[in-house]
Amino acid sequence: MQSKISEVKEQFEKELSQTDLSDEQAVENLRLKYLGKKGLLTDLLKGMGTLSAEEKPLFGKLVNELKAEVTDAIENAKEKASEAAMGKKLIASRLDISLPGEGYKHGSTHPLYDIREEVIDFFANMGFHVDLGRDIETDWYNFEALNTPKDHPSRDMQDTFYLSQNAMLRTHTSGTQIHYMEAHKPPIRMVALGHVFRVDADATHAPMFQQCEGLVVDETITFAQLKGMMALFAKKFFGENAKTRFRPSFFPFTEPSAELDVSCVFCDGKGCRRCKGTGWMEIGGCGSVDPAVFENVSIDSEKYTGFAFGFGLDRIAMLRHHIPEISLLTSNDQRFLEQF
Ligand code: DAH
């Protein structure tokens, strides 16, 4: 009987050595042949019935040892076969496993978002209330209450996206002044940040950009305070050496009005291509609130004075980071955004 065991063992070893270990089916067939219900090892155990009581334990032990050996060998062979099958699959597929992975890229905040946060910090630290306003305005808020009647030539300054005869995408954030003054009595210190829309597009003008509007109203507000605050703002955003210049201008809602210029960041005010040789770059408009605007929101223009300003946030980002094209800020090009 024991020689039967050795015979099966030898036969198994021989067959295993002849099996193609990269062939999963061949390995499975081998398993069935030895360990299956009708397998050779099962047969051996069945044959035990013919043995004497003394022979049985030894025989059982030997068969079980062989069974463990065969099971181990088959397990090993199976592992090899499945590895080989995977290798074959990879070779057959067009996946190039030698290509480097793509990895994970670190995100960062958008330069416009950073500027916006800094502007909010700057004014909030000086006690300004921060407002957002709304993208869609009516004629009253965008023009009329800002002292810009229907036939006023300054309406041409801002080509408007109309949604209906009375509703439009706001062309500036100045309408937030009206909303705010309708809802709050002086003293007022507020900034409003948000998108504005104009029919306009070239290297430095986009149809959608962001503005920051500011309004201060109280009994003793002067143009000198506006100048001081704007000079402080310029130094904070463009460095200690930044100079400011107020150029006489016109806006229907301020009187007097000024254009605020900052010394050119590209040439330090010497004059270059970017500042068209002037040494200055415009960042926004400002002025003393026109009494007619106060009358429109029932604020006593005899008692109160105020100043207002409006900057382009995109313009500030462009100057701060020396960005030549405004559209880069909104085109979502990773090669551009990765630099911040
Ligand atoms: N709203 C003006 C524009 O978009 C900018 C501006 C000028 C805002 C003067 C003001 C201001 O508050 O006082 O061009």
Side-chain angles (χ1 to χ4, degrees), residues 158 172 174 177 198 211 213-214 251 253-254 285-287 308-310:
Q158 303 178 352
H172 54 179
S174 298
Q177 293 185 31
R198 292 182 195 174
Q211 279 188 336
E213 189 79 18
F251 296 101
F253 33 94
T254 42
C286 57
F309 54 85

Side-chain angles (χ1 to χ4, degrees), residues 146 157-158 171-175 177 196 198 209 211-215 226 250-259 282 284-289 307-312:
L146 289 164
M157 285 161 45
Q158 303 178 352
T171 58
H172 54 179
T173 42
S174 298
Q177 293 185 31
V196 301
R198 292 182 195 174
F209 58 101
Q211 279 188 336
C212 166
E213 189 79 18
L215 176 70
L226 166 68
F250 172 77
F251 296 101
F253 33 94
T254 42
E255 184 58 37
S257 302
E259 215 83 61
E282 183 191 320
C286 57
S288 296
V289 179
F307 66 73
F309 54 85
F311 313 133

Side-chain angles (χ1 to χ4, degrees), residues 7 10 51 79 99-100 119 135 145 156 165 169 201 218 287 317 334 340:
E7 225 172 80
E10 265 168 41
L51 295 177
E79 229 167 81
L99 281 174
V119 169
D135 288 349
D156 297 342
Q165 213 173 357
L169 296 178
D218 207 342
Q334 276 202 5
F340 301 96

